[in-house]
Structure formats: C-alpha cells, structure tokens
Coordinates of all heavy atoms in Angstrom, one line a residue:
S1 N 9.9 -20.3 100.1 CA 8.8 -19.4 100.6 C 9.4 -18.0 100.5 O 10.4 -17.7 101.0 CB 8.3 -19.7 102.0 OG 7.4 -18.7 102.4
V2 N 8.6 -17.1 99.8 CA 9.0 -15.7 99.7 C 7.9 -14.8 100.3 O 6.8 -14.8 100.0 CB 9.2 -15.2 98.2 CG1 9.6 -13.7 98.1 CG2 10.3 -16.1 97.5
S3 N 8.4 -14.0 101.3 CA 7.4 -13.2 102.0 C 7.7 -11.7 101.6 O 8.8 -11.3 101.5 CB 7.6 -13.2 103.5 OG 7.3 -14.5 104.0
S4 N 6.6 -11.0 101.3 CA 6.7 -9.6 100.9 C 5.7 -8.8 101.7 O 4.9 -9.3 102.5 CB 6.3 -9.5 99.4 OG 5.0 -10.1 99.2
Y5 N 5.8 -7.4 101.6 CA 5.0 -6.5 102.3 C 4.0 -5.9 101.4 O 4.3 -5.2 100.4 CB 5.9 -5.4 103.0 CG 5.1 -4.4 103.8 CD1 4.4 -4.8 104.9 CD2 5.0 -3.1 103.4 CE1 3.7 -3.9 105.7 CE2 4.3 -2.1 104.2 CZ 3.7 -2.6 105.3 OH 2.9 -1.6 106.1
N6 N 2.7 -6.0 101.8 CA 1.6 -5.4 101.1 C 1.3 -4.0 101.7 O 0.7 -3.9 102.8 CB 0.4 -6.3 101.3 CG -0.9 -5.7 100.5 OD1 -1.0 -4.5 100.3 ND2 -1.7 -6.7 100.0
Q7 N 1.9 -3.0 101.1 CA 1.8 -1.7 101.6 C 0.4 -1.1 101.8 O 0.0 -0.5 102.7 CB 2.7 -0.8 100.8 CG 3.2 0.5 101.4 CD 4.3 1.1 100.6 OE1 4.2 1.3 99.4 NE2 5.3 1.5 101.2
E8 N -0.4 -1.5 100.8 CA -1.8 -1.0 100.8 C -2.6 -1.5 102.0 O -3.4 -0.7 102.6 CB -2.5 -1.4 99.5 CG -4.0 -0.9 99.4 CD -4.6 -1.3 98.0 OE1 -3.8 -1.7 97.1 OE2 -5.8 -1.2 97.9
M9 N -2.4 -2.8 102.4 CA -3.1 -3.4 103.5 C -2.3 -3.5 104.8 O -2.8 -3.9 105.8 CB -3.5 -4.8 103.1 CG -4.3 -4.9 101.8 SD -6.0 -4.2 102.0 CE -6.8 -5.2 103.2
S10 N -1.0 -3.0 104.7 CA -0.1 -3.1 105.9 C -0.1 -4.5 106.4 O -0.2 -4.8 107.6 CB -0.6 -2.2 107.0 OG -0.6 -0.8 106.6
E11 N 0.1 -5.5 105.5 CA 0.2 -6.9 105.8 C 1.4 -7.5 105.2 O 1.9 -7.1 104.1 CB -1.0 -7.7 105.2 CG -2.3 -7.3 105.9 CD -3.6 -8.0 105.2 OE1 -3.4 -8.4 104.1 OE2 -4.6 -8.1 105.9
V12 N 1.9 -8.6 105.9 CA 2.9 -9.4 105.3 C 2.3 -10.6 104.6 O 1.5 -11.3 105.2 CB 4.0 -9.8 106.2 CG1 5.0 -10.7 105.7 CG2 4.7 -8.6 106.9
E13 N 2.7 -10.9 103.4 CA 2.1 -12.1 102.7 C 3.3 -13.1 102.3 O 4.4 -12.6 101.9 CB 1.4 -11.7 101.5 CG 0.2 -10.8 101.8 CD -0.7 -10.4 100.6 OE1 -0.4 -10.9 99.5 OE2 -1.5 -9.5 100.7
A14 N 3.0 -14.3 102.3 CA 4.1 -15.3 101.9 C 3.4 -16.3 100.9 O 2.2 -16.6 101.0 CB 4.6 -16.1 103.1
R15 N 4.3 -16.8 100.1 CA 3.8 -17.9 99.1 C 5.1 -18.7 98.6 O 6.2 -18.1 98.8 CB 3.2 -17.3 97.9 CG 4.0 -16.7 96.8 CD 4.7 -15.4 97.2 NE 3.7 -14.4 97.3 CZ 3.9 -13.3 98.0 NH1 5.1 -13.1 98.6 NH2 3.1 -12.3 98.1
Y16 N 4.9 -19.9 98.2 CA 6.0 -20.7 97.6 C 6.2 -20.4 96.1 O 5.2 -20.2 95.4 CB 5.8 -22.2 97.9 CG 6.1 -22.6 99.2 CD1 5.0 -22.7 100.2 CD2 7.4 -22.9 99.6 CE1 5.3 -23.2 101.5 CE2 7.7 -23.3 100.9 CZ 6.6 -23.4 101.8 OH 6.9 -23.8 103.1
V17 N 7.4 -20.3 95.7 CA 7.7 -20.2 94.3 C 8.9 -21.2 94.0 O 9.5 -21.8 95.0 CB 8.3 -18.8 94.0 CG1 7.2 -17.7 94.2 CG2 9.5 -18.4 94.7
N18 N 9.1 -21.5 92.8 CA 10.2 -22.4 92.4 C 11.4 -21.6 92.0 O 11.5 -20.9 91.0 CB 9.8 -23.3 91.2 CG 8.8 -24.3 91.7 OD1 8.7 -24.8 92.8 ND2 7.9 -24.7 90.7
L19 N 12.5 -21.7 92.8 CA 13.7 -21.1 92.5 C 14.4 -21.9 91.3 O 14.6 -23.1 91.3 CB 14.6 -21.2 93.7 CG 16.1 -20.5 93.6 CD1 15.8 -19.0 93.4 CD2 17.0 -20.9 94.8
K20 N 14.7 -21.1 90.3 CA 15.2 -21.8 89.0 C 16.7 -21.7 88.9 O 17.4 -22.6 88.4 CB 14.5 -21.1 87.8 CG 13.1 -21.4 87.7 CD 12.8 -22.9 87.5 CE 11.3 -23.1 87.2 NZ 11.1 -24.6 87.1
Y21 N 17.3 -20.5 89.3 CA 18.7 -20.3 89.1 C 19.3 -19.6 90.3 O 18.7 -18.8 91.0 CB 18.9 -19.4 87.9 CG 18.4 -19.8 86.6 CD1 17.1 -19.4 86.1 CD2 19.1 -20.7 85.7 CE1 16.6 -19.7 84.9 CE2 18.5 -21.1 84.5 CZ 17.3 -20.6 84.1 OH 16.8 -21.0 82.9
I22 N 20.6 -19.9 90.5 CA 21.5 -19.0 91.4 C 22.6 -18.6 90.4 O 23.5 -19.5 90.1 CB 22.0 -19.7 92.6 CG1 20.8 -20.1 93.5 CG2 22.9 -18.8 93.4 CD1 21.2 -20.9 94.8
A23 N 22.6 -17.4 90.0 CA 23.6 -16.9 89.1 C 24.5 -15.9 89.8 O 24.1 -14.8 90.1 CB 23.0 -16.3 87.9
D24 N 25.7 -16.3 90.1 CA 26.6 -15.5 90.9 C 26.0 -15.3 92.3 O 25.8 -16.3 93.0 CB 27.0 -14.2 90.3 CG 28.1 -13.5 91.0 OD1 28.8 -14.0 91.8 OD2 28.3 -12.3 90.7
N25 N 25.6 -14.1 92.7 CA 24.9 -13.9 93.9 C 23.4 -13.6 93.8 O 22.8 -13.2 94.7 CB 25.6 -12.8 94.7 CG 25.4 -11.4 94.0 OD1 25.1 -11.3 92.8 ND2 25.7 -10.4 94.7
E26 N 22.9 -13.9 92.6 CA 21.5 -13.6 92.3 C 20.6 -14.9 92.3 O 21.0 -15.8 91.8 CB 21.3 -12.9 90.9 CG 21.9 -11.6 90.8 CD 21.6 -10.9 89.5 OE1 20.5 -10.9 89.2 OE2 22.5 -10.5 88.9
W27 N 19.5 -14.8 93.0 CA 18.6 -16.0 93.2 C 17.3 -15.6 92.4 O 16.7 -14.6 92.6 CB 18.2 -16.2 94.7 CG 19.4 -16.4 95.5 CD1 20.4 -15.5 95.7 CD2 19.7 -17.5 96.3 NE1 21.4 -16.0 96.6 CE2 21.0 -17.2 97.0 CE3 19.1 -18.7 96.6 CZ2 21.6 -18.1 97.8 CZ3 19.7 -19.6 97.5 CH2 20.9 -19.3 98.1
I28 N 17.0 -16.5 91.4 CA 16.1 -16.1 90.3 C 14.9 -17.1 90.2 O 15.0 -18.3 90.2 CB 16.8 -16.0 89.0 CG1 17.9 -14.9 89.0 CG2 15.8 -15.7 87.9 CD1 18.9 -15.0 87.9
F29 N 13.7 -16.5 90.2 CA 12.5 -17.2 89.9 C 11.6 -16.4 89.0 O 11.9 -15.2 88.6 CB 11.6 -17.5 91.2 CG 11.2 -16.3 92.0 CD1 9.9 -15.8 91.8 CD2 11.9 -15.7 92.9 CE1 9.4 -14.7 92.4 CE2 11.5 -14.6 93.6 CZ 10.2 -14.1 93.4
F30 N 10.5 -16.9 88.5 CA 9.7 -16.3 87.5 C 8.2 -16.2 87.9 O 7.8 -17.0 88.6 CB 9.8 -17.1 86.1 CG 11.2 -17.1 85.6 CD1 12.2 -17.9 86.1 CD2 11.6 -16.1 84.7 CE1 13.5 -17.9 85.6 CE2 12.9 -16.0 84.2 CZ 13.9 -16.9 84.6
S31 N 7.6 -15.1 87.4 CA 6.2 -14.9 87.8 C 5.5 -13.9 86.9 O 6.2 -13.3 86.0 CB 6.2 -14.3 89.2 OG 4.8 -14.0 89.6
N32 N 4.2 -13.8 87.1 CA 3.5 -12.7 86.3 C 3.7 -11.4 86.9 O 3.6 -11.2 88.2 CB 2.0 -13.1 86.4 CG 1.1 -12.2 85.5 OD1 1.2 -11.0 85.7 ND2 0.3 -12.8 84.7
Y33 N 4.1 -10.4 86.1 CA 4.5 -9.1 86.6 C 3.3 -8.3 87.1 O 3.4 -7.2 87.7 CB 5.3 -8.3 85.6 CG 6.7 -8.7 85.4 CD1 7.3 -8.6 84.2 CD2 7.4 -9.3 86.4 CE1 8.6 -8.9 84.0 CE2 8.7 -9.7 86.2 CZ 9.3 -9.6 85.0 OH 10.7 -9.9 84.8
N34 N 2.1 -8.8 86.8 CA 0.9 -8.1 87.2 C 0.3 -8.7 88.5 O -0.8 -8.3 89.0 CB -0.2 -8.1 86.1 CG 0.3 -7.3 84.9 OD1 0.9 -6.3 85.0 ND2 -0.2 -7.8 83.7
S35 N 0.9 -9.7 89.0 CA 0.4 -10.4 90.2 C 0.6 -9.7 91.5 O 1.3 -8.7 91.5 CB 1.2 -11.8 90.4 OG 2.5 -11.5 90.7
P36 N -0.2 -9.9 92.5 CA -0.1 -9.2 93.8 C 1.3 -9.2 94.3 O 1.8 -8.1 94.7 CB -1.0 -9.9 94.7 CG -2.1 -10.5 93.8 CD -1.3 -10.9 92.6
K37 N 2.1 -10.3 94.2 CA 3.4 -10.2 94.8 C 4.4 -9.4 94.0 O 5.2 -8.7 94.6 CB 4.0 -11.7 94.9 CG 4.2 -12.5 93.6 CD 4.8 -13.8 93.8 CE 4.9 -14.7 92.6 NZ 3.6 -15.1 92.0
A38 N 4.1 -9.3 92.7 CA 5.0 -8.4 91.8 C 4.7 -7.0 92.2 O 5.7 -6.2 92.2 CB 4.7 -8.7 90.4
Q39 N 3.4 -6.6 92.4 CA 3.2 -5.2 92.8 C 3.7 -4.9 94.2 O 4.2 -3.8 94.4 CB 1.6 -5.1 92.8 CG 0.9 -5.4 91.5 CD 1.5 -4.6 90.4 OE1 1.6 -3.4 90.4 NE2 1.8 -5.2 89.3
Q40 N 3.8 -5.9 95.1 CA 4.3 -5.7 96.4 C 5.9 -5.5 96.3 O 6.5 -4.6 97.0 CB 4.0 -6.8 97.3 CG 2.5 -6.8 97.7 CD 2.0 -8.2 98.2 OE1 2.8 -9.0 98.7 NE2 0.8 -8.4 98.1
F41 N 6.5 -6.2 95.4 CA 7.9 -6.2 95.2 C 8.3 -4.7 94.6 O 9.3 -4.1 95.0 CB 8.5 -7.2 94.2 CG 8.3 -8.6 94.6 CD1 8.2 -9.6 93.6 CD2 8.2 -9.0 95.9 CE1 8.1 -10.9 94.0 CE2 8.1 -10.3 96.3 CZ 8.0 -11.3 95.3
N42 N 7.4 -4.2 93.8 CA 7.6 -2.9 93.2 C 7.5 -1.7 94.3 O 8.3 -0.7 94.2 CB 6.6 -2.6 92.1 CG 6.8 -3.4 90.9 OD1 7.9 -3.9 90.6 ND2 5.8 -3.6 90.1
T43 N 6.7 -1.9 95.2 CA 6.5 -0.9 96.3 C 7.3 -1.0 97.5 O 7.6 -0.1 98.2 CB 5.0 -0.8 96.7 OG1 4.6 -2.0 97.2 CG2 4.1 -0.4 95.5
H44 N 7.8 -2.3 97.7 CA 8.7 -2.5 98.9 C 9.6 -3.6 98.5 O 9.2 -4.8 98.4 CB 7.8 -3.0 100.1 CG 8.6 -3.1 101.4 ND1 8.9 -2.1 102.2 CD2 9.2 -4.2 101.9 CE1 9.5 -2.5 103.2 NE2 9.8 -3.9 103.1
N45 N 10.9 -3.3 98.2 CA 11.8 -4.3 97.5 C 12.6 -5.2 98.5 O 13.5 -5.9 98.1 CB 12.7 -3.6 96.5 CG 13.8 -2.8 97.3 OD1 13.6 -2.4 98.5 ND2 14.9 -2.5 96.7
Q46 N 12.2 -5.2 99.8 CA 12.8 -6.0 100.7 C 11.9 -7.3 100.9 O 10.7 -7.2 101.2 CB 13.1 -5.3 102.1 CG 14.0 -6.0 103.0 CD 13.3 -7.1 103.8 OE1 12.1 -7.0 104.1 NE2 14.0 -8.2 104.2
V47 N 12.5 -8.6 100.8 CA 11.8 -9.7 101.0 C 12.5 -10.6 102.1 O 13.7 -10.4 102.3 CB 11.6 -10.5 99.7 CG1 10.8 -9.7 98.7 CG2 13.0 -10.9 99.1
S48 N 11.7 -11.6 102.6 CA 12.2 -12.6 103.5 C 12.0 -13.9 102.8 O 10.9 -14.2 102.2 CB 11.5 -12.6 104.8 OG 12.0 -13.5 105.7

C-alpha cells in the first residue's frame, strides 16, 4: 500500500500496487504517469 498527498484536495490517498524490484536501496513499481497518484508524487515526493 502506497499513500500519497493530494495537494489540491489536502487529502491523503492510499492504494495497493505490485512491487516488482528491490534494486540496491530502490523499491520499484510501475504505473501510468498521468494517473492521480503520479501527479501527487510529482507535487509531493514523500510517501508512506
């Protein structure tokens, strides 16, 4: 579960994704870059 901050709505949102890789200290999953979560990552890069 990855939680992100929706700056426009001042809300925290969570969703499940599939973790594909752990490469060194990086944890990697894949998504549509136009999705709401991607936009939230762009404006607030801290996640839980």
